[in-house]
Amino acid sequence: MDAIVLAAGNGSRMNLDFPKQFLKINGKPIFIYSLEVLQKSKNIKNIIVTCNYEFIDRYKMYSDDFGIENVTYIKGGNSRQESVFLGLQHVSTPKVLIHEAARPLIAHDFVEYLQSFEDEDAVIPTIPIKFTVSVGNKYMTNELNRTNLHNIQLPQIFNTKVLTDAHEKAIKDNYETTEDGTLVFHYGGKVRFVEGRESNIKVTTNLDIELVNNILKFH
């Protein structure tokens, strides 16, 4: 199985002047945490990293510094969806794992757990929604039953052909979404939800960095 790691963000939401994936936690860039886990997985053949090509030398430098091998760096797209599609052009295995560099706390056993669902076209980890969710702008226009809502996480595993076909259809239809399970579902694919992990935090704010730091202290 090949893996695509999305690491082409520019850090704008955190007011950074460098890619967010270069933020260091305990002296290590956050994208390296994911690469280390995936590199140790016996079922991961190659790792394709979509990156901000302006900083390509820096990505490679960090890979060398931390002994990361079997990695191909490619230029990311103008959107997350485009980056995944570009990454798929380099995948040569029937199944593909999609991950994002902003989630540094994945664990080896969690990756193996996701890989155990061999017969599914799409395997999507989720955690329950624990807060009340409603719809509206200035005023509430609808209520939602959180029992049926899912907070979607990564990594995710797909049948490569099913995911590629969905992306090609989306390009023709000019359809965009922020996550690949939704894309596969939109085009009629069967998407399997599995249990995610509360600790699998996505780093999007400075508070998230503090949370990740605290969790790592107990690992």
Side-chain angles (χ1 to χ4, degrees):
M1 178 184 303
D2 288 346
I4 298 172
V5 176
L6 304 171
N10 57 24
S12 59
R13 280 189 290 183
M14 296 184 71
N15 297 315
L16 301 174
D17 58 1
F18 57 87
K20 176 173 65 178
Q21 48 273 17
F22 294 157
L23 278 170
K24 291 184 178 180
I25 297 178
N26 293 338
K28 185 185 298 184
I30 61 172
F31 84 104
I32 292 294
Y33 283 92
S34 295
L35 298 187
E36 286 179 333
V37 170
L38 295 175
Q39 181 176 252
K40 292 176 182 176
S41 175
K42 63 182 179 181
N43 295 319
I44 300 296
K45 182 180 178 183
N46 296 300
I47 304 172
I48 299 114
V49 179
T50 66
C51 66
N52 183 329
Y53 227 63
E54 180 184 351
F55 296 88
I56 183 63
D57 291 339
R58 199 164 170 184
Y59 287 89
K60 292 180 177 179
M61 178 192 72
Y62 285 134
S63 290
D64 292 341
D65 288 347
F66 291 93
I68 304 299
E69 300 176 346
N70 299 323
V71 177
T72 300
Y73 286 101
I74 67 168
K75 184 178 180 180
N78 293 322
S79 66
R80 180 196 185 282
Q81 187 167 313
E82 185 181 5
S83 288
V84 174
F85 180 71
L86 292 172
L88 286 169
Q89 310 313 303
H90 297 265
V91 172
S92 60
T93 53
K95 289 290 186 76
V96 59
L97 180 146
I98 309 290
H99 190 51
E100 52 194 357
R103 292 183 187 268
L105 295 181
I106 61 167
H108 183 261
D109 66 315
F110 187 53
V111 173
E112 288 194 334
Y113 160 69
L114 296 175
Q115 291 173 338
S116 69
F117 297 88
E118 297 178 355
D119 298 328
E120 304 289 350
D121 285 340
V123 180
I124 310 297
T126 74
I127 57 175
I129 300 290
K130 296 183 177 181
F131 43 83
T132 301
V133 182
S134 61
V135 180
N137 291 315
K138 283 188 176 181
Y139 297 93
M140 186 183 298
T141 58
N142 195 10
E143 57 183 336
L144 296 174
N145 183 353
R146 68 186 182 192
T147 304
N148 298 319
L149 299 179
H150 296 261
N151 183 349
I152 290 178
Q153 297 185 323
L154 282 86
Q156 303 170 349
I157 293 178
F158 297 90
N159 176 297
T160 304
K161 185 178 186 308
V162 169
L163 182 58
T164 303
D165 287 348
H167 272 272
E168 290 175 347
K169 291 174 182 176
I171 291 172
K172 291 179 182 178
D173 297 343
N174 198 30
Y175 172 76
E176 290 189 18
T177 186
T178 58
E179 182 270 327
D180 293 282
T182 305
L183 185 66
V184 168
F185 177 80
H186 180 80
Y187 286 104
K190 190 175 181 180
V191 176
R192 170 69 182 269
F193 286 149
V194 299
E195 185 178 355
R197 292 188 174 178
E198 294 280 358
S199 61
N200 187 13
I201 297 168
K202 182 175 181 179
V203 175
T204 56
T205 68
N206 289 323
L207 176 60
D208 295 328
I209 296 173
E210 293 299 320
L211 290 173
V212 170
N213 260 314
N214 288 328
I215 291 171
L216 285 172
K217 288 179 183 178
F218 298 98
H219 278 236

